[in-house]
Amino acid sequence: MQKLGSAPSRRKPSADRIAGAVAAALLVSADFTAIADEGSLRPYTIVRGSIPASLTGAAGDPARGRAIVLDRRLGACLLCHTGPFPEERFQGTLAPDLSGAGSRWSEGQLRLRLVDAPRLNPDTIMPPYYRVDGLTRVGSVWREKPILTAEQIEDVVAFLSTLRD
Amino acid sequence: MRALVLAAVAAAVAAAAAEIAPQDRHSGYDFAGPDTRAMQDDDTANPGMLGVLQGETLWAAKTGAAGRSCADCHGDARTSMKGVAARYPAFEPALARPLDLEGRINRCRSEHQGAEPLAWESADLLALTAFVAYQSRGLPIMVRADAELRPFVDLGSALFHRRQGQLNLSCSQCHDDNWGKRLAGAVIPQAHPTGYPVYRLEWQSLGSLQRRLRNCMIGVRAEPYDYSAPEAVDLELYLMARARGMPLETPAVRP
């Protein structure tokens, strides 16, 4: 696996190259510490396009949620999305802007969207963040593990709910 | 029955709609920034040319139990290897399956030179492959989708369109459906294998198409195929068939 920045740079980095390298870092990142380790997933109930109850029984922490959204190895949301994150120069253009998500969607709808987005739209490219079955050829270090833990899902839900127009 | 047929037709149309029309195809070159393109355009600045030159030396070197060089059998590569890379992977009757260019070169080493196959991604295999592919620079990709190869093209196509990895994404969802958009900082190209082996700035070296595919698979947190695994070659073959008619650029430069 390529470690970014470990090779001596032959050339002055151009903006083009930095952008490529940043995305490459995401594309090849395998940070073992970032892997959610859930023995088994918490059960949840879907009620009309939403998961009304917290997966953990407790409310999440919006500040931690924001950090997870920005973190390339955890949420990696900005691979695809843009949002109100002035400190992040490289944001994706594959998905809607996250600004105002908390006005458009209830907490329960946001929770289901994160837990298993393909349930809402079978063709979506948004990954299922809290599902381990029905996936193909998952890399051995990630196998049987959801992308985010139940706690992390709750933190992100709490943060998204604060994004109001 | 009729409904089934209609459903099958509808599915085929939907699948075809996602494919990139021939006039809309673009090499990764078109998505690269001006610095990267300038580097590829100028042979004296293109770091991939070092590999080509190294390959030229290896072409003439006698090796293995047979003590023969590539040139002893194939002569001047400028004529004997012209257009060869443009039609690889090609069907190998002895294996009853396709071989990519690296696989072919290694087969010549074991069958004809009495030498050990070169390791995947070794400097020597990349250099020989780059040297052979360079003889097709500017020529259109001409992989034959004939009766022998067709089943393997179809297998590669199925792998390209299958969701995989923890992120649950198919190659096609990025490279057919979302090319030209930004995945964080990087523009998603169409995944045409026009320049391999490529000099990749992130690698700081030449690398094979298989290495590139492994990077994308690891990116979606899928288990990558082993080098020269049948699936990897089928995928390469599908990509080449998909890029049919596009000119080869080896050695290309990519971010």
Side-chain angles (χ1 to χ4, degrees), chain A residues 42-55 108 111-112:
Chain A
R42 320 274 174 99
Y44 56 82
T45 310
I46 299 176
V47 184
R48 274 176 273 107
S50 101
I51 302 175
S54 163
L55 299 176
R111 190 176 288 110
L112 176 57

Side-chain angles (χ1 to χ4, degrees), chain A residues 1 23-30 76 79-80 94 125 127-128 135-143 145 147, chain B residues 159-160 162-175 183 188 212-225 235:
Chain A
M1 200 153 307
L26 317 165
L27 275 173
V28 299
S29 66
L79 271 184
C80 295
L94 298 171
I125 55 172
L135 303 175
T136 305
R137 224 187 149 83
V138 176
S140 50
V141 284
W142 294 289
R143 215 164 287 156
K145 289 164 187 143
I147 303 172
Chain B
L159 297 176
F160 191 80
R162 178 179 81 171
R163 284 179 186 258
Q164 62 180 338
Q166 195 193 35
L167 303 190
N168 196 35
L169 286 165
S170 72
C171 318
S172 168
Q173 284 178 304
C174 278
H175 291 300
L183 182 72
I188 300 178
R212 175 67 254 189
L213 305 187
R214 290 170 67 86
N215 276 196
C216 276
M217 291 185 74
I218 294 167
V220 299
R221 304 184 179 175
E223 194 68 34
Y225 304 123
L235 203 42

Side-chain angles (χ1 to χ4, degrees), chain B residues 88-89 100-102 120 156 193 208-210 213 231-241:
Chain B
Y88 267 72
D100 59 12
L101 198 53
E102 287 87 348
W120 269 90
S208 70
L209 178 55
Q210 289 202 24
L213 305 187
E231 292 96 331
V233 179
D234 295 344
L235 203 42
E236 288 183 287
L237 175 64
Y238 169 70
L239 290 176
M240 286 293 271

Side-chain angles (χ1 to χ4, degrees), chain B:
Chain B
M1 183 62 209
R2 179 142 174 275
L4 260 181
V5 171
L6 283 180
V9 169
V13 170
E19 262 166 39
I20 302 166
Q23 70 276 13
D24 295 332
R25 287 184 309 179
H26 292 283
S27 157
Y29 177 90
D30 297 340
F31 299 98
D35 290 6
T36 307
R37 277 189 266 175
M39 212 177 185
Q40 175 171 329
D41 290 341
D42 176 0
D43 277 354
T44 63
N46 181 341
M49 284 305 292
L50 293 172
V52 172
L53 290 176
Q54 194 193 337
E56 186 170 18
T57 307
L58 293 169
W59 180 262
K62 293 188 189 301
T63 185
R68 307 183 77 172
S69 70
C70 318
D72 286 342
C73 292
H74 293 292
D76 186 346
R78 279 171 303 183
T79 48
S80 67
M81 291 293 134
K82 190 172 177 183
V84 169
R87 53 181 174 71
Y88 267 72
F91 191 76
E92 169 52 50
L95 303 174
R97 29 172 314 110
L99 262 186
D100 59 12
L101 198 53
E102 287 87 348
R104 167 61 68 201
I105 291 169
N106 261 339
R107 213 172 143 78
C108 270
R109 279 181 64 90
S110 53
E111 303 288 304
H112 299 305
Q113 291 181 306
E116 285 291 309
L118 296 165
W120 269 90
E121 298 311 300
S122 64
D124 283 4
L125 185 56
L126 287 165
L128 274 169
T129 310
F131 175 67
V132 170
Y134 176 70
Q135 312 307 323
S136 298
R137 186 152 81 162
L139 296 178
I141 291 174
M142 276 301 161
V143 160
R144 292 166 46 214
D146 56 15
E148 277 169 334
L149 278 179
R150 191 75 237 173
F152 300 98
V153 175
D154 291 345
L155 285 170
S157 170
L159 297 176
F160 191 80
H161 292 93
R162 178 179 81 171
R163 284 179 186 258
Q164 62 180 338
Q166 195 193 35
L167 303 190
N168 196 35
L169 286 165
S170 72
C171 318
S172 168
Q173 284 178 304
C174 278
H175 291 300
D176 286 332
D177 300 346
N178 284 297
W179 61 267
K181 295 189 192 158
R182 282 185 179 276
L183 182 72
V187 179
I188 300 178
Q190 294 179 349
H192 294 302
T194 45
Y196 287 81
V198 295
Y199 186 88
R200 194 166 174 219
L201 297 169
E202 193 231 321
W203 294 335
Q204 299 278 314
S205 73
L206 275 178
S208 70
L209 178 55
Q210 289 202 24
R211 181 170 177 195
R212 175 67 254 189
L213 305 187
R214 290 170 67 86
N215 276 196
C216 276
M217 291 185 74
I218 294 167
V220 299
R221 304 184 179 175
E223 194 68 34
Y225 304 123
D226 290 338
Y227 281 112
S228 76
E231 292 96 331
V233 179
D234 295 344
L235 203 42
E236 288 183 287
L237 175 64
Y238 169 70
L239 290 176
M240 286 293 271
R242 181 171 168 270
R244 210 180 135 84
M246 298 178 78
L248 272 190
E249 301 161 40
T250 310
V253 180
R254 295 287 181 265

